[in-house]
Amino acid sequence: SYQVVALIITTFALAGNAACLIAHNVRYKESLPCSVRLLITNTNIANFLMGIYAGIINIADGVYRGEYVLREKTWMKGLPCKVAGFLHLLSSHASLLSVLVISINSFRFRSTFLTPRTTALLCLLIWTVAFVVATIPLTTSSWRFYGETGICFPLPASRPDIPGHNY
């Protein structure tokens, strides 16, 4: 059933990214350049957060199974849905921006394109941008940005009648 598949995906997302974090920062610490290791770690953390998002959705699926129609508004307006939506937007932006920096760095116009310090600053910038983007919808009570779908996916752009759709 889809619940089993969702559980497997969540487990692999959490365990796989945890294993990569350990491997890249303990086992392969000496073999990878510091800037590459920082970027991979950054992406792993973002993807681990996406696994937490998936876990929240899976737990909600179990809690509301068989009675979701009766409790849909409770879930969609509740704090767990907002947290899940926030994690989704935060992790997807952080992951996307990290992969962008990795891609740019792979061109290596110069052999020292990204120093460890520059990479650390870029990682800080990535998380700051992702945090701000994910936080903005929480700052106004008139937006139902994170509670428009049952999976708290933050994309209300498909309905122009939703407050915040232009964001």
Side-chain angles (χ1 to χ4, degrees):
S1 73
Y2 78 90
Q3 292 96 352
V4 173
V5 172
L7 180 63
I8 291 169
I9 290 170
T10 300
T11 302
F12 276 109
L14 293 171
N17 282 293
C20 285
L21 278 168
I22 293 166
H24 286 109
N25 290 295
V26 176
R27 184 162 186 199
Y28 302 113
K29 187 175 184 174
E30 301 304 319
S31 63
L32 286 173
C34 182
S35 58
V36 172
R37 198 172 65 253
L38 280 170
L39 290 168
I40 291 172
T41 298
N42 213 45
T43 306
N44 286 142
I45 292 169
N47 292 340
F48 187 85
L49 291 175
M50 186 61 79
I52 293 172
Y53 160 80
I56 293 170
I57 297 302
N58 290 336
I59 290 168
D61 179 55
V63 168
Y64 293 105
R65 187 171 296 133
E67 56 186 52
Y68 180 75
V69 173
L70 302 173
R71 298 172 60 192
E72 175 185 33
K73 295 296 180 199
T74 302
W75 162 247
M76 289 171 53
K77 290 182 179 182
L79 182 62
C81 185
K82 288 179 180 158
V83 169
F86 173 84
L87 283 175
H88 183 279
L89 201 58
L90 175 73
S91 63
S92 60
H93 277 73
S95 182
L96 175 76
L97 292 171
S98 295
V99 170
L100 174 67
V101 173
I102 290 169
S103 298
I104 291 169
N105 189 45
S106 69
F107 282 109
R108 296 197 175 186
F109 295 111
R110 302 185 315 234
S111 60
T112 58
F113 181 64
L114 286 179
T115 65
R117 178 178 157 80
T118 304
T119 305
L121 290 172
L122 280 171
C123 290
L124 179 63
L125 179 64
I126 286 168
W127 284 103
T128 302
V129 168
F131 183 80
V132 168
V133 168
T135 302
I136 288 173
L138 296 173
T139 61
T140 177
S141 61
S142 65
W143 291 6
R144 295 179 322 211
F145 195 74
Y146 290 128
E148 278 304 308
T149 64
I151 57 172
C152 310
F153 194 74
L155 279 180
S158 61
R159 291 184 43 203
D161 60 320
I162 305 276
H165 76 278
N166 288 329
Y167 177 69

